[in-house]
Amino acid sequence: MSETTAATTLDRSERSGHAGLLLLLAGLLVAAVLSLSLLSDEKAQVFIVAFLAILAVAGIFCLFGLAVGVLQFAGRVARNDLTKLMADTAAEGLIVVESDGRVIYANGAFLTLSGCRTAAEVRTVERLFTGAPEVSEAIYRLSQAVREGRAAGEEIRLAPALNGAEAAWYRVRVRPLARPGGRNAALWTIADVTRDRERQENVFQELQHAIDYLDHAPAGFLSIDPAGEIVYMNATLAGWLDHDLAQVGSGGLSVADVVPPNAAALIGAVTGGPGEVRTEIIDIDLRRRGGQSLPVRLFHRVAFGADGRPGASRTLVLNRSPGEDVAEGQRAAEVRFARFFNDTPVAIAAVGRRGEILRSNAAFARLFGAPGERTITGVVAERDEDALGNALAAAGEGRGDIVPLDVAIRGAEDRSARIYVSGVADAEGDGEAAIVYALETTEQRALEAQFAQAQKMQAVGQLAGGVAHDFNNVLQAIIGYSDLLLANHRPTDPSFQDIMQIKQNANRAASLVRQLLAFSRRQTLRPQVIQLSDSLSDLSLLLKRLIGERIELELRHGRDMWLTKADVNQFEQVIVNLAVNARDAMPDGGKLSIRTQNVPAQEVAAYGYKAVPEADFVLVEVSDTGTGIPPHVLDKIFEPFFTTKDVGKGTGLGLSTVYGIVKQTGGFIFCDSSVGEGTTFRIFLPRHVPLEQEAAPKPGAAKTLAADLTGRGTILLVEDEEAVRAFGARALTSRGYTVLEASSGTEAMAIVDGLDQPVDLVVSDVVMPEMDGPTLLRALRERFPSLKIIFVSGYAEDAFKKNLPEGEQFTFLPKPFSLKQLVEAVKTQLK
């Protein structure tokens, strides 16, 4: 079989027949004839018939095999002539090499590229591409790829070229060929791409020229993507701003680096519909790297895709610095106006006759964002559209008495603004009808609401404190006279139990009054340095009994908790009240979580409570999974006597007591609740930093009093309430003391001045007409520096202690007190 099937191709893919097989067959036939000649005619005839039958059967089998294609003549392989014609005439050089390096096919283009004229001159690609190290490395990578069973390609510069030229570029590709029943082979494809590379280099050079022209144009140019990153900036603008071009496009330079915040909001406010291209003319100041301002005019063009999303901008920048414009006076005036217009904190927009926004400043874009519709009514909430529309109509009529509007901002209903509308007397050709000014009032309204709430709570607190004081005087008389009656009745007397009922109910009323005093922050506190985690752990057993078995209690404490200063008993009352409320909110069971943690000053703002200053706090969170609190109730929960429970199931003083204790401790309390999800109370207590040698608080030990409560001495009793004064006088007189009564401080001073010697003790009310207790004490100290005094009051000790000289010594007895408490206090002072 010939090695070539055409004059311009090499094809060794067919296997040719072998002449030795034919000679072997001929030798076998001759041997058979000679063997038959040695036999007799009868025997030879039998063998001849058998031999002919075998040949006939073999012949018929071969005919059928040739008919169905099982057998074929050597060198006559059935082929797809069209496919082979395509390979033979391909423009790219094709060569197929078996795994042992034997070339079994090469088309005419390969023979032409390699310069081979005969089959013997055909070389493999590895032998054909030799020379520089980079060429050998590329061919090695391709060979390695085909050995690993994958396709690969390289572009190789060969010098000198295969055709003898100085140099040429070749695209070499290879892929493995899996041949069924034969050896694996690789198909190599070689194409001369020298002209393509030359065209690419020419285009690249032209692009470089265009970039050079753009870079050194007398105007700046930049492109900003929707995320605010500068993806391109020409050299002219980079020189103006003193920035390195290497930073651009690599995430190293953004709009915020070259544009003030107001101007950035104005640039980002350009909006458009799907497929629309918008160009805005913006006069702003850019910021140089050193911080200096550069006045410019931007022609800011943004194209929007079919989905309405903006693409990267194409922004032309004109320098408006002095000396850069022929009309210097006009330029300077425009720059001054642009700075005034965009840097003012007031949002300004020019509005057309149909309410469309013709132009706006940076503050307007920052306040209202990028509205979806370019109308002024589209930036406010729907409920405020009519009011704003009426104001614009009034401006169009030339009215000058348009009342400012307080509106909510659309898309952010929790933000608000005050809008002023001013008509334009002489509308210009662009249809300008009104000027709208706006100031954000979100923070102002929040502060007003907080101030109003604080004022309301203060007023209610003052009322509650005054009521508590008056009630204490009434209860003092009831409890005092009950004690006097009980002292004259034995337990076996029929009226003894009735008197006990009067006293017990009076004590219950006194407990409610104490809660009112807690709310009004006029109760007596005994603060000490405590560790909240320890106090809560000690309280956990009581809490578990209070909330019951159906509610899970979780205590979780932060690490290295700071110290705080509070009254332990009052703080426990706060937690107990909150736990009881949580229990009532979870009738079907749930989970009560109490968590503590430190809140450094820099983390306070993250909680969103503007009333809390930036300082270190210890936070206590009490959360439940109960029914939650409706929004219309949430603002009233700390008010005294407000309750949502059924009649007889709550006094409405629990949370007001909590509020008062926390406030009097110097802390803050807030409530967040969602209906159906639960409620969380957050208590911020100020961190206490102990002094280096601050002594540990000593537990108050009860004084051991003598069983005999009688005594001798002269006591001046000053009390403006006649019933309370009469009870005190009877109680002390019955114990052996001489009692001088006075209904006011002035009367007390007159009694003292008329005595030959000072009294042994003064028992005085604090709040009295004409002269109160602290004033009386100062007057008595001038005459008798060592005089002993006991103050009694329905208010807290701290409420009047600040009115006394620092270091003043006195004993305090809060109303209402029992007969025993009064005589014990007197006995202790006169010992």
Side-chain angles (χ1 to χ4, degrees):
M1 185 75 184
S2 172
E3 288 188 344
T4 59
T5 58
T8 58
T9 61
L10 168 67
D11 191 351
R12 294 173 178 159
S13 59
E14 299 176 359
R15 294 290 183 178
S16 60
H18 202 283
L21 296 176
L22 183 61
L23 293 177
L24 179 60
L25 180 59
L28 291 175
L29 291 175
V30 172
V33 171
L34 292 177
S35 299
L36 291 175
S37 64
L38 299 178
L39 299 175
S40 61
D41 293 340
E42 295 179 357
K43 293 181 178 181
Q45 187 175 6
V46 175
F47 281 105
I48 291 172
V49 172
F51 182 69
L52 291 176
I54 292 172
L55 290 178
V57 172
I60 292 172
F61 174 77
C62 290
L63 288 175
F64 277 104
L66 289 172
V68 299
V70 174
L71 298 178
Q72 60 183 9
F73 292 108
R76 301 284 296 178
V77 180
R79 68 182 70 209
N80 188 333
D81 293 335
L82 180 60
T83 303
K84 187 174 186 309
L85 181 62
M86 290 171 58
D88 290 345
T89 59
E92 296 180 335
L94 304 178
I95 179 172
V96 180
V97 183
E98 289 185 333
S99 55
D100 59 356
R102 179 173 175 267
V103 178
I104 60 174
Y105 176 79
N107 70 350
F110 180 82
L111 297 179
T112 301
L113 282 172
S114 61
C116 301
R117 292 184 296 275
T118 63
E121 296 178 356
V122 176
R123 292 171 290 171
T124 61
V125 176
E126 289 91 338
R127 295 178 57 194
L128 188 64
F129 284 87
T130 58
E134 58 271 16
V135 176
S136 301
E137 291 174 1
I139 297 300
Y140 173 78
R141 288 194 295 269
L142 295 174
S143 302
Q144 186 66 24
V146 78
R147 280 193 289 270
E148 295 173 356
R150 55 186 177 86
E154 297 270 357
E155 285 195 2
I156 301 171
R157 183 179 185 278
L158 189 64
L162 297 177
N163 58 4
E166 181 178 355
W169 283 90
Y170 297 94
R171 183 183 295 116
V172 182
R173 294 191 293 265
V174 63
R175 63 183 178 89
L177 296 177
R179 302 171 66 198
R183 299 178 181 177
N184 291 334
L187 172 62
W188 294 78
T189 304
I190 304 173
D192 189 339
V193 294
T194 303
R195 291 190 176 182
D196 293 340
R197 291 299 295 257
E198 290 176 351
R199 280 196 298 271
Q200 292 176 4
E201 290 180 359
N202 291 336
V203 170
F204 180 75
Q205 290 179 357
E206 292 175 359
L207 180 61
Q208 287 294 106
H209 288 312
I211 293 174
D212 184 67
Y213 298 150
L214 182 60
D215 271 347
H216 297 89
F221 185 84
L222 78 158
S223 179
I224 306 168
D225 66 11
E229 296 294 329
I230 298 178
V231 296
Y232 176 77
M233 177 188 292
N234 71 345
T236 301
L237 182 57
W240 290 347
L241 301 178
D242 194 23
H243 277 288
D244 187 1
L245 278 178
Q247 295 179 334
V248 181
S250 59
L253 201 61
S254 65
V255 172
D257 296 322
V258 300
V259 176
N262 283 354
L266 192 61
I267 291 174
V270 178
T271 59
E276 188 178 357
V277 178
R278 294 190 61 88
T279 301
E280 298 285 347
I281 301 176
I282 306 171
D283 290 317
I284 60 173
D285 282 350
L286 296 184
R287 187 171 53 220
R288 292 186 173 97
R289 188 171 62 173
Q292 302 89 350
S293 296
L294 175 71
V296 297
R297 171 169 289 177
L298 303 183
F299 292 84
H300 187 60
R301 184 174 186 178
V302 181
F304 296 85
D307 56 355
R309 295 182 178 180
S313 74
R314 305 292 184 267
T315 305
L316 181 66
V317 184
L318 299 183
N319 193 338
R320 308 281 282 169
S321 298
E324 298 290 337
D325 199 331
V326 176
E328 181 63 26
Q330 180 182 354
R331 181 211 62 78
E334 290 176 351
V335 168
R336 285 194 298 271
F337 174 76
R339 286 175 175 169
F340 169 80
F341 187 62
N342 288 319
D343 294 343
T344 178
V346 180
I348 306 174
V351 181
R353 296 184 179 88
R354 295 183 300 275
E356 69 275 16
I357 299 175
L358 302 177
R359 64 189 65 85
S360 60
N361 68 344
F364 189 91
R366 187 179 67 253
L367 177 59
F368 295 104
E373 49 183 307
R374 303 294 293 178
T375 61
I376 189 64
T377 54
V379 304
V380 300
E382 293 183 6
R383 63 177 182 269
D384 299 318
E385 286 186 10
D386 293 341
L388 182 56
N390 295 335
L392 292 173
E397 297 172 358
R399 291 173 50 186
D401 56 345
I402 303 174
V403 179
L405 304 175
D406 289 316
V407 300
I409 299 174
R410 177 167 294 188
E413 306 298 327
D414 58 334
R415 296 176 61 206
S416 60
R418 172 162 291 185
I419 291 181
Y420 303 83
V421 180
S422 175
V424 179
D426 298 322
E428 299 178 359
D430 58 359
E432 186 176 299
I435 304 295
V436 173
Y437 307 88
L439 286 171
E440 184 170 7
T441 58
T442 304
E443 186 173 353
Q444 176 184 345
R445 295 185 68 176
L447 291 175
E448 287 176 354
Q450 291 177 7
F451 181 70
Q453 179 69 10
Q455 276 191 321
K456 181 177 71 173
M457 298 296 281
Q458 183 179 4
V460 174
Q462 289 176 346
L463 175 62
V467 170
H469 176 265
D470 293 339
F471 264 103
N472 271 335
N473 284 330
V474 175
L475 293 173
Q476 177 62 70
I478 296 173
I479 294 173
Y481 282 106
S482 297
D483 285 338
L484 290 175
L485 288 173
L486 290 173
N488 297 322
H489 289 73
R490 296 181 180 180
T492 56
D493 292 344
S495 58
F496 185 86
Q497 292 300 325
D498 297 336
I499 300 171
M500 284 297 298
Q501 283 293 327
I502 294 173
K503 182 177 180 180
Q504 289 174 1
N505 282 279
N507 286 329
R508 286 184 58 194
S511 176
L512 294 177
V513 171
R514 280 195 296 272
Q515 290 181 335
L516 283 175
L517 286 173
F519 170 74
S520 61
R521 286 171 270 172
R522 297 184 180 183
Q523 63 175 342
T524 301
L525 295 183
R526 295 290 184 262
Q528 63 185 59
V529 179
I530 61 173
Q531 174 63 262
L532 288 184
S533 301
D534 298 339
S535 300
L536 290 173
S537 298
D538 296 339
L539 192 62
S540 60
L541 293 178
L542 174 60
L543 293 177
K544 288 180 180 178
R545 289 196 298 269
L546 281 174
I547 63 178
E549 298 179 354
R550 302 181 63 184
I551 298 176
E552 177 188 354
L553 175 63
E554 178 191 43
L555 287 177
R556 193 166 59 195
H557 303 302
R559 293 186 176 181
D560 301 325
M561 291 297 298
W562 294 330
L563 299 175
T564 189
K565 198 168 187 179
D567 187 312
V568 177
N569 296 327
Q570 298 293 344
F571 175 73
E572 290 177 351
Q573 182 182 352
V574 167
I575 301 301
V576 168
N577 283 344
L578 295 179
V580 170
N581 284 347
R583 178 200 64 191
D584 296 341
M586 296 183 287
D588 299 326
K591 183 177 182 180
L592 174 63
S593 301
I594 302 177
R595 297 179 291 272
T596 61
Q597 69 180 76
N598 297 329
V599 181
Q602 61 271 21
E603 298 180 9
V604 169
Y607 288 89
Y609 302 124
K610 295 183 179 179
V612 183
E614 290 189 4
D616 293 339
F617 287 94
V618 177
L619 173 63
V620 183
E621 289 185 342
V622 181
S623 304
D624 64 62
T625 57
T627 55
I629 304 174
H632 68 278
V633 175
L634 198 58
D635 294 336
K636 304 177 182 178
I637 59 174
F638 294 120
E639 296 179 5
F641 305 113
F642 178 82
T643 179
T644 57
K645 298 178 182 179
D646 296 336
V647 177
K649 293 186 177 181
T651 62
L653 290 174
L655 287 179
S656 63
T657 302
V658 169
Y659 178 85
I661 293 172
V662 172
K663 284 294 184 180
Q664 194 170 357
T665 308
F668 301 87
I669 182 169
F670 302 94
C671 179
D672 297 320
S673 184
S674 298
V675 176
E677 297 182 6
T679 303
T680 298
F681 285 89
R682 292 185 176 90
I683 301 172
F684 294 84
L685 296 178
R687 177 188 182 184
H688 176 74
V689 180
L691 302 177
E692 294 183 1
Q693 298 181 354
E694 185 175 7
K698 298 179 181 180
K703 296 182 180 179
T704 303
L705 299 177
D708 182 14
L709 297 179
T710 61
R712 292 183 180 277
T714 302
I715 299 175
L716 175 61
L717 178 60
V718 189
E719 172 62 59
D720 60 329
E721 287 287 336
E722 184 177 353
V724 177
R725 186 174 67 252
F727 153 70
R730 285 184 58 185
L732 295 174
T733 302
S734 65
R735 295 304 184 272
Y737 298 103
T738 301
V739 179
L740 304 176
E741 299 181 42
S743 60
S744 65
T746 305
E747 186 178 343
M749 289 301 299
I751 293 174
V752 170
D753 291 339
L755 295 176
D756 296 333
Q757 58 183 6
V759 296
D760 298 306
L761 177 66
V762 176
V763 178
S764 173
D765 192 9
V766 174
V767 179
M768 295 181 296
E770 298 181 13
M771 180 184 291
D772 60 5
T775 305
L776 174 62
L777 176 61
R778 285 193 293 270
L780 292 173
R781 281 280 187 261
E782 293 177 359
R783 293 170 173 79
F784 312 108
S786 60
L787 182 64
K788 297 179 180 180
I789 188 167
I790 296 177
F791 277 127
V792 295
S793 177
Y795 290 130
E797 177 183 346
D798 296 339
F800 67 91
K801 188 176 181 180
K802 59 186 178 182
N803 297 326
L804 295 174
E806 186 175 355
E808 184 64 58
Q809 299 295 322
F810 64 92
T811 298
F812 179 71
L813 187 61
K815 293 179 180 180
F817 48 82
S818 65
L819 185 151
K820 182 180 179 181
Q821 290 173 327
L822 174 62
V823 295
E824 282 181 348
V826 171
K827 182 75 173 183
T828 302
Q829 287 296 311
L830 293 179
K831 286 181 65 175

